[in-house]
């Protein structure tokens, strides 16, 4: 299966990427992705994923015989897959400039049709290490508490063996950002601690 | 400044109160510890931690604290909030500005900037702050710094009165022995007796003379350490190593000697008035007369100088003839009767004048004197009577010598330190005005006599007398009132109060006042068995001004 998703709408703060068709297993919520193209390769966090008909005016009809699974229905109707799309919304949280990764808004949006790939552990560590990436997430209207929690959890995966230190350090950064919103801090950390 | 000792950063404060320091994560500070912070221009501010406070940057986390328990969420939230939303702040009383690379420390007159780093004070800064030229003794190591000694210049220590305060078993006696040992050692080192400072010790519990009871064993007293420079006068008979027993004759006691005994309920104020009247009328033998069962013919004659005595004369009649209530005379006679039954009190003139003269000569000759009370030490009346009698007379001699010298330093008597225990009984608020010790405390500079008072209840001491005490060694105290009495008038008292409250129950004291540049919490040196005396003393070599090899307190006060 899996096609490479590409940027279909590009902004500084967010960009939208789409798979060529329907993708059952897209990037996960909170996953760090990177567009390694353009002047300033951009890093971001997946904040939303949605699948549906390519043409919103032609809604998908429920179909399939009784007892068939989704996979069986799709296998029988190959053409259906081409009428569907999976889209993933990404919030920017850094960019690459030469050797450095900066946890800031990229100076320019990623190129349209740029390939969106999962960031590797090294990239994730560098963009999240000092906790500064949180400022962009917390400020984004697209990021609710669940999204921030998912992002922190996925970043912690890159810090094998030092997850706890990372979580506490990041939590402290978050505590500074949310100093006037203790309830929000608690709700995010509850999501992080799982 | 090593990383390890970094504590935090300055976040606020004032010179008049204290500097606020926000602790770094993981750092901790104890009350009474010294910290330092760089000042502009290269010197360092030295201050003492006087309070530790838990603070919250915002109200939220303290209004909705993390849940207790060990769930991952609770543990994470707690770890996250610590040192961010909530943190520890210490208050530091600013005291001294210490120039880096030598130079005299001065009183702190400025503060570090915001966010200046704060670290535990290092050896060099403390050594500079507590360095003393000339003869100095160490009073111990500052809190948490076992490698630094706090030196106090002897001269400065004893030029004003000294107080050693603390509840029972805190280490007052051990510390006093330390001070006195240094004093005698210093006297030994001085060739001319006029330069010596000597002590007159009223040794209530036989701690300072020949031996001191210590942790089930014993330690050498002053006389054993300095046989040629300390004289011992016991009240008991047949005491070894005595330089002459002290005996009080009833003819030696003056009404003024009794006045201070009012504080312990021995005499009423009226009884003292009767005493003055009887002394006037009956002459030197007044006590012997009063102790007779019935008034003697001489008493009768002197009572009824004009007019006829009644046929039947008794003490009640004598009292009313003299214009007093008979109860007052009874009170006086009862009290005197108690004295008379003590073995060190004898009828008539006794040996008192001779021993007194011997003591005066010893003191003026540069020797220290210990009056050992033996079993009479448990009797406050005996203690106060003897201490008062001797001190009054010796002080008068010193005063006379001082006045005769007419400002000629060479002719002035050497400095005398009178050591009394349970001082509050002598300088109680009610009698301080009448007590010789009140006078000494007030006029100390004039007559070269100062006090070293040892007491458990400083709040009972007349505030005026207390304010005359220059240097205070303050061990753990029983009550707020006692703490307040000691720190009441001084700058930064709120902080010092905290520090005193946090003292350990033994062998830890806050030392402050005249002889020190700033207050310091010390652990006094260990009192070791035997050993070379005077090892706590440090002398400055004459001539080149270099310091003599630093004497560690390894001798008398063990390693
Ligand atoms: N510097 C010290 N070195 C070693 N032990 C000490 C020291 N100071 C105090 N101690 C211990 O504490 C005990 C009590 O000390 P000390 O007799 O000086 O107390 P105090 O304050 O005079 O008590 P009190 O009021 O009952 O006379 C000592 O016997 C000793 O065990
Ligand atoms: Mg004692």
């Amino acid at each position: 299966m899996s096609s490479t998703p590409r940027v279909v709408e590009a902004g500084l703060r967010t960009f939208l990427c789409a798979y060529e068709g329907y993708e059952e297993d897209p990037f996960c919520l909170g996953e760090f992705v990177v567009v390694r193209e353009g002047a300033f390769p951009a890093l971001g966090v997946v904040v939303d994923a949605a699948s549906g008909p390519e043409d919103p005016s032609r809604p998908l009809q429920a179909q399939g015989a009784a007892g068939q699974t989704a996979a069986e229905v799709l296998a029988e109707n190959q053409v259906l897959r081409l009428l569907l799309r999976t889209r993933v919304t990404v919030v920017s949280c850094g960019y690459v400039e030469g050797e450095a990764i900066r946890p800031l808004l990229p100076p320019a949006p990623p190129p349209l049709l740029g390939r969106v790939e999962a960031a590797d552990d090294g990239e994730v560590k560098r963009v999240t290490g000092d906790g500064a990436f949180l400022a962009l997430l917390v400020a984004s209207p697209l990021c609710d508490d669940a999204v921030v929690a998912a992002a922190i959890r996925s970043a912690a995966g890159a810090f094998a063996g030092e997850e706890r230190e990372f979580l506490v350090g990041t939590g402290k950064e978050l505590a500074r950002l949310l100093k006037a919103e203790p309830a929000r801090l608690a709700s995010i950390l509850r999501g992080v601690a799982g | 400044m090593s990383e390890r000792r970094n504590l935090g950063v300055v976040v606020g404060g004032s010179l008049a109160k204290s500097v606020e320091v926000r602790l770094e994560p993981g750092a901790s500070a104890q009350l009474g510890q010294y910290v330092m912070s760089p000042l502009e221009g290269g010197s360092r501010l030295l201050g003492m931690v006087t309070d530790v406070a838990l603070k919250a940057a915002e109200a939220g986390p303290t209004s909705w604290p993390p849940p207790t328990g060990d769930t991952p969420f609770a543990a994470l939230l707690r770890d996250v909030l610590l040192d961010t939303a909530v943190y520890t702040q210490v208050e530091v009383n600013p005291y001294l500005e210490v120039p880096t690379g030598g130079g005299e420390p001065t009183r702190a007159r400025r503060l570090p900037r915001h966010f200046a780093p704060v670290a535990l004070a290092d050896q060099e800064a403390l050594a500079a702050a507590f360095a003393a030229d000339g003869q100095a003794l160490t009073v111990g190591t500052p809190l948490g710094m076992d490698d630094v000694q706090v030196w106090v210049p002897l001269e400065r220590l004893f030029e004003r009165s000294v107080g050693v305060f603390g509840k029972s078993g805190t280490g007052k006696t051990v510390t006093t022995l330390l001070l006195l040992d240094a004093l005698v050692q210093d006297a030994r080192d001085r060739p001319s007796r006029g330069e010596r400072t000597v002590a007159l010790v009223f040794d209530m519990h036989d701690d300072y003379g020949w031996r001191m009871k210590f942790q089930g064993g014993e330690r050498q007293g002053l006389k054993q350490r300095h046989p040629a420079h300390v004289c011992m006068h016991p009240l008991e008979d047949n005491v070894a190593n005595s330089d002459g027993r002290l005996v009080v004759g009833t003819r030696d006691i003056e009404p003024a000697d009794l006045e201070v005994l009012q504080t312990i309920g021995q005499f009423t104020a009226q009884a003292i008035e009767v005493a003055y009247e009887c002394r006037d009328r009956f002459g030197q033998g007044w006590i012997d007369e009063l102790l007779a069962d019935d008034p003697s013919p001489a008493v009768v004659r002197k009572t009824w100088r004009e007019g006829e005595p009644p046929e039947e004369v008794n003490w009640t009649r004598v009292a009313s003839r003299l214009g007093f209530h008979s109860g007052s005379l009874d009170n006086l006679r009862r009290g005197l009767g108690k004295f008379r039954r003590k073995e060190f009190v004898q009828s008539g003139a006794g040996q008192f004048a001779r021993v007194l003269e011997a003591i005066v000569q010893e003191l003026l000759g540069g020797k220290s004197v210990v009056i050992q009370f033996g079993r009479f030490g448990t009797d406050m009346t005996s203690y106060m009577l003897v201490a008062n009698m001797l001190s009054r007379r010796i002080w008068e001699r010193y005063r006379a010598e001082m006045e005769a010298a007419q400002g000629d330093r060479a002719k002035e008597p050497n400095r005398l330190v009178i050591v009394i225990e349970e001082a509050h009984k002598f300088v109680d608020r009610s009698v301080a005005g009448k007590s010789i010790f009140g006078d000494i405390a007030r006029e100390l500079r004039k007559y070269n006599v100062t006090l070293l008072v040892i007491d458990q209840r400083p709040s009972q001491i007349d505030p005026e007398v207390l304010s005359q005490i220059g240097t205070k060694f303050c061990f753990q105290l029983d009550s707020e009132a006692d703490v307040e009495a000691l720190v009441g008038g001084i700058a930064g008292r709120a902080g010092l109060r905290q520090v005193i409250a946090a003292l350990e129950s033994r062998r830890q004291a806050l030392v402050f006042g005249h002889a020190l540049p700033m207050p310091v919490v010390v652990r006094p040196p260990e009192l070791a068995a035997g050993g070379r005396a005077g090892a706590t003393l440090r002398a400055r070599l004459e001539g080149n001004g270099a310091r003599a090899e630093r004497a560690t307190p390894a001798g008398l006060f063990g390693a």
Side-chain angles (χ1 to χ4, degrees), chain B residues 152-183:
Chain B
V152 175
L154 263 182
E155 172 102 26
R156 206 165 155 76
L157 182 64
F158 289 113
E159 77 189 2
R160 293 185 56 183
S161 291
V162 175
V164 180
F165 304 107
K167 60 191 207 190
S168 184
T170 45
K172 298 186 297 297
T173 302
V174 173
T175 298
T176 306
L177 182 61
L178 176 150
L179 299 180
L180 293 176
D181 181 66
L183 179 111

Side-chain angles (χ1 to χ4, degrees), chain B residues 186-486:
Chain B
D186 178 59
R188 278 173 74 160
D189 295 343
R190 291 179 190 265
S192 114
R193 63 181 176 82
E195 283 175 26
R196 297 176 192 164
T197 299
V198 296
L200 170 61
V201 186
F202 293 104
D203 186 4
M204 195 177 232
H205 304 296
D206 291 9
D207 288 318
Y208 306 106
W210 188 253
R211 64 172 72 89
M212 176 192 193
K213 294 176 285 294
F214 182 82
Q215 289 176 340
E218 58 177 57
R219 293 287 186 271
Q220 293 182 342
L222 294 173
K223 172 101 179 158
Q224 226 182 126
R225 295 171 196 280
H226 314 278
H229 292 81
V230 174
C231 298
M232 215 171 83
H233 296 280
L235 264 62
E236 289 177 316
D237 209 359
N238 295 322
V239 172
N241 307 300
S242 157
D243 293 283
R245 182 182 174 206
L246 183 72
V247 179
V248 176
T250 47
R251 283 176 157 259
D252 301 315
I253 302 176
E254 296 287 334
D257 298 319
L258 305 180
E259 217 158 3
V260 68
L261 296 175
Q262 286 176 64
T263 56
I264 53 171
Q266 194 61 242
F267 296 107
T268 61
Q270 290 77 20
I272 299 294
E273 279 182 45
V274 178
Y276 275 105
E277 178 67 27
C278 293
R279 171 69 179 86
D280 271 0
R281 278 194 187 243
F282 310 147
Q284 264 213 316
W286 66 287
I287 292 182
D288 292 325
E289 294 284 20
L290 284 181
L291 288 179
D293 288 344
D294 292 306
S296 70
V299 165
V300 175
R301 201 175 58 245
K302 287 172 182 166
T303 307
W304 281 272
R305 268 181 210 146
E306 54 285 316
E308 274 297 297
E311 266 174 29
E312 207 189 314
V313 181
N314 57 25
W315 285 116
T316 312
R317 292 236 160 87
V318 170
S320 64
R321 173 72 187 183
L322 296 179
F324 294 103
H325 197 276
S326 69
S328 302
L329 182 62
D330 288 347
N331 174 273
L332 177 63
R333 292 184 64 229
R334 248 196 326 273
L336 293 173
K338 273 194 207 151
F339 288 155
R340 181 57 199 82
R341 288 192 289 278
K342 308 273 179 216
E343 283 147 64
F344 68 90
V345 180
Q346 294 176 355
S347 290
Q351 304 283 317
F352 184 71
R354 205 176 49 73
V355 181
L356 174 68
E357 188 53 35
I359 293 174
V360 169
Q361 291 313 323
E362 285 158 3
L363 293 173
L364 291 174
K367 293 182 180 180
S368 288
V369 172
V370 178
I371 308 295
Q372 205 163 54
F373 281 76
R375 65 175 184 280
F376 303 110
T378 51
D379 173 36
M380 202 57 214
T381 314
S382 302
Y383 185 74
M384 288 179 72
L385 178 73
V386 172
N388 209 38
M389 281 184 77
L390 282 179
S391 300
R392 247 165 44 84
R393 288 161 179 77
I394 290 168
W395 193 60
E396 270 153 24
R397 284 293 291 276
Y398 259 74
R399 226 165 72 167
E401 295 266 336
M402 226 28 209
E403 274 153 15
Q406 290 187 325
D408 179 352
R409 292 297 300 254
K411 290 188 187 146
E412 286 178 5
N414 50 2
R415 200 194 312 274
L416 170 64
V417 181
I418 299 182
V419 183
I420 49 171
E421 305 197 43
E422 303 260 4
H424 70 266
K425 301 255 168 65
F426 295 91
V427 281
D428 181 282
R429 289 162 188 267
S430 61
V431 295
K434 300 170 195 142
S435 158
I436 179 62
F437 296 102
D439 293 346
I440 295 176
R442 274 183 293 271
E443 307 204 55
L444 50 99
R445 282 173 175 287
K446 264 191 1 231
Y447 301 117
N448 268 6
V449 180
T450 59
L451 296 177
L452 193 170
V453 299
I454 304 165
D455 207 308
Q456 304 191 10
R457 307 301 316 276
S459 61
Q460 311 273 307
I461 297 179
D462 180 40
E464 203 197 324
V465 172
L466 206 54
S467 71
Q468 295 296 328
I469 293 180
T471 309
K472 294 167 182 141
F473 290 75
C474 177
F475 289 85
Q476 192 182 66
L477 284 163
D478 258 333
S479 78
E480 281 284 310
D482 291 325
V483 176
E484 188 57 36
L486 289 184

Side-chain angles (χ1 to χ4, degrees), chain A residues 91-160:
Chain A
V91 167
S92 302
C93 67
Y95 68 96
V96 181
E97 185 173 29
E99 293 294 289
I101 291 191
R102 304 192 188 288
L104 303 170
L105 278 189
L112 283 172
L113 298 180
R115 284 160 301 155
V116 183
E117 298 165 289
D120 63 34
D121 281 357
E123 287 164 328
V124 174
K125 278 170 101 157
R126 285 163 70 199
V127 78
T128 59
D130 64 358
F133 74 103
L134 288 167
L136 292 175
L137 295 193
V138 166
S140 167
L142 298 178
C143 291
D144 54 23
D145 297 352
V147 173
V148 179
I152 294 174
R153 257 180 25 194
S154 97
F159 290 81

Side-chain angles (χ1 to χ4, degrees), chain A residues 1-7 18-20 23 27 114-117:
Chain A
M1 65 111 234
S2 204
S3 61
T4 305
R6 290 180 183 272
V7 178
Y19 291 84
E20 273 168 31
E23 172 62 50
F27 292 127
R115 284 160 301 155
V116 183
E117 298 165 289

